[in-house]
Amino acid sequence: MEFLDKYQQLVADAITKYTFKDKPTELYDPMNYIISHGGKRLRPIMVLMACDLFGGDLKEAIKPALAIEFFHNFTLIHDDIMDEAPLRRNKPTIHTLHGLNVGILSGDGLLLKAYKFFEDLEPEIFKACIRIFTHTGLLLCEGQQYDINFETQEDVTFDDYIRMITYKTGVLSASSFEIGALIAKANFKDAKSIFNFGKHIGIAFQIMDDYLDVFGDQAQFGKKHAGDIYENKKTVLYLMAREHATDEERKELDHWYAKKTDNIDKVYGVEKIFRRTKVDEKALRLIEKHNEIGQSYLKKINIPEERKKPFIELANYLLSRES
């Protein structure tokens, strides 16, 4: 992803500059811990890319970009608590190291720090960005609740799943692009087009996460292998497998998804059904579909095609990533 080097460096430098030095350190050190692990930092990069696309000043966008990164990591801390996840980016999760109370508090702290990073924007843009940011946060909470509901809900549909991942993942990518566009003073139509581009790329990203959870290289992915199967997550793999399974295989899926267990036989049994129904191939085709929808929105933006190339490269990257 060489085309992103400039943006990644800007984000990395800003994170170093705004490292938390507040006290108590028991609260702020865990916040620095998760931020410093980096990851791909795609969402703050999306803010900067959109700002650049519409001719904005990246200096004005850098703190809002960090706000998105802080917010994203806040959600990861709390997700890991809810999922009882031991690893994040191949590192122990915060609640594993410091306990649930510190995990909850440090997540809350990141959220509040994120809001403060919009304060330098001029009033009208500040108001618009905060409206989007807050609405995005609420949708993400709704998506997370749907995800939790699905663990015990028997009649989850494909549309239910798409709504859930749109709220949990797609909207944050979409809003990152839209906030960058607004900071650059893009018009309403273009801001919505880049929003919809980001939404579908975000959906593709989440489907790829679901795919990699089972079919990815665990060492590269940085999470527990088949964690979604252990947690009874009704992912796209499960829904597609159920649609194409035999009656006997559906009964087996019902058996395993009726209980949470670390039994390796569960993973083996479910993976065998996934492979026989070829849900890996079907998921990759669905990723490509949403990539194409996203790029159709990008084409609607009246800006020279040359300047859109980094967005196309970013989208295509999601089709081939291994971690």
Side-chain angles (χ1 to χ4, degrees):
M1 299 215 298
E2 291 180 8
F3 67 98
L4 295 180
D5 285 350
K6 175 182 76 171
Y7 303 114
Q8 285 181 322
Q9 193 59 53
L10 283 170
V11 173
D13 290 346
I15 284 172
T16 300
K17 179 179 179 180
Y18 294 105
T19 296
F20 301 119
K21 299 179 177 68
D22 314 69
K23 291 184 178 180
T25 56
E26 292 82 2
L27 172 65
Y28 289 102
D29 284 352
M31 292 161 63
N32 287 326
Y33 171 82
I34 191 166
I35 293 292
S36 68
H37 287 165
K40 296 175 183 66
R41 293 172 175 160
L42 289 177
R43 291 155 191 86
I45 286 170
M46 289 172 181
V47 177
L48 300 180
M49 286 177 68
C51 184
D52 229 359
L53 179 67
F54 295 105
D57 184 351
L58 292 183
K59 291 178 183 176
E60 292 181 13
I62 191 63
K63 288 178 76 173
L66 281 195
I68 295 293
E69 180 68 357
F70 289 177
F71 175 80
H72 175 57
N73 280 277
F74 141 70
T75 68
L76 298 183
I77 294 171
H78 285 195
D79 271 0
D80 289 340
I81 291 171
M82 286 183 263
D83 293 343
E84 299 178 0
L87 293 176
R88 167 70 62 181
R89 299 165 183 156
N90 274 327
K91 302 283 187 181
T93 48
I94 285 177
H95 71 274
T96 302
L97 291 173
H98 302 285
L100 293 177
N101 290 344
V102 170
I104 293 167
L105 281 174
S106 58
D108 293 345
L110 276 175
L111 172 61
L112 295 168
K113 286 285 190 180
Y115 270 96
K116 288 184 67 63
F117 268 44
F118 287 103
E119 290 176 351
D120 292 345
L121 295 173
E122 58 186 74
E124 284 305 309
I125 294 175
F126 170 82
K127 185 177 178 181
C129 288
I130 288 295
R131 183 175 65 246
I132 293 164
F133 187 67
T134 303
H135 183 58
T136 297
L138 289 170
L139 288 180
L140 196 143
C141 289
E142 291 175 18
Q144 179 71 0
Q145 187 62 57
Y146 281 128
D147 194 20
I148 293 168
N149 292 352
F150 291 174
E151 292 178 23
T152 54
Q153 183 179 327
E154 293 183 5
D155 57 341
V156 178
T157 67
F158 181 76
D159 287 343
D160 290 335
Y161 165 83
I162 292 295
R163 176 180 61 181
M164 183 270 289
I165 66 169
T166 299
Y167 288 6
K168 266 195 72 171
T169 304
V171 170
L172 184 55
S173 298
S175 297
S176 298
F177 281 126
E178 186 175 17
I179 284 170
L182 290 176
I183 292 169
K185 297 183 172 64
N187 65 50
F188 178 81
K189 184 179 177 182
D190 284 344
K192 283 303 170 190
S193 290
I194 202 69
F195 174 93
N196 283 311
F197 167 77
K199 181 176 78 171
H200 286 281
I201 297 312
I203 290 170
F205 191 92
Q206 183 57 54
I207 295 171
M208 181 61 87
D209 257 17
D210 292 352
Y211 168 88
L212 290 172
D213 180 77
V214 175
F215 298 105
D217 183 326
Q218 183 189 357
Q220 292 189 37
F221 194 41
K223 295 181 184 177
K224 180 180 180 180
H225 172 69
D228 289 343
I229 294 175
Y230 285 115
E231 295 295 324
N232 296 335
K233 300 283 188 184
K234 305 294 197 311
T235 68
V236 69
L237 303 180
Y238 167 86
L239 294 171
M240 287 177 167
R242 189 168 178 77
E243 180 183 353
H244 296 282
T246 64
D247 288 343
E248 186 177 337
E249 286 169 335
R250 281 194 201 93
K251 287 179 183 176
E252 186 175 353
L253 286 172
D254 289 343
H255 167 73
W256 289 124
Y257 278 75
K259 52 189 174 183
K260 276 191 183 182
T261 173
D262 277 354
N263 187 337
I264 192 64
D265 291 339
K266 174 179 181 175
V267 174
Y268 176 77
V270 172
E271 280 191 19
K272 186 172 68 173
I273 295 170
F274 283 1
R275 293 183 190 281
R276 196 206 65 77
T277 52
K278 298 182 178 179
V279 296
D280 52 340
E281 298 173 12
K282 293 177 174 66
L284 291 174
R285 283 198 293 272
L286 190 60
I287 291 165
E288 188 169 357
K289 172 189 169 184
H290 281 282
N291 180 51
E292 289 171 356
I293 294 171
Q295 293 196 36
S296 73
Y297 280 104
L298 189 64
K299 289 176 182 175
K300 295 179 180 181
I301 299 171
N302 187 25
I303 279 177
E305 295 303 310
E306 186 67 26
R307 289 171 60 185
K308 298 178 187 178
K309 278 187 178 179
F311 293 80
I312 296 169
E313 289 184 53
L314 176 63
N316 290 337
Y317 161 73
L318 299 178
L319 296 178
S320 58
R321 71 191 179 104
E322 298 178 353
S323 63

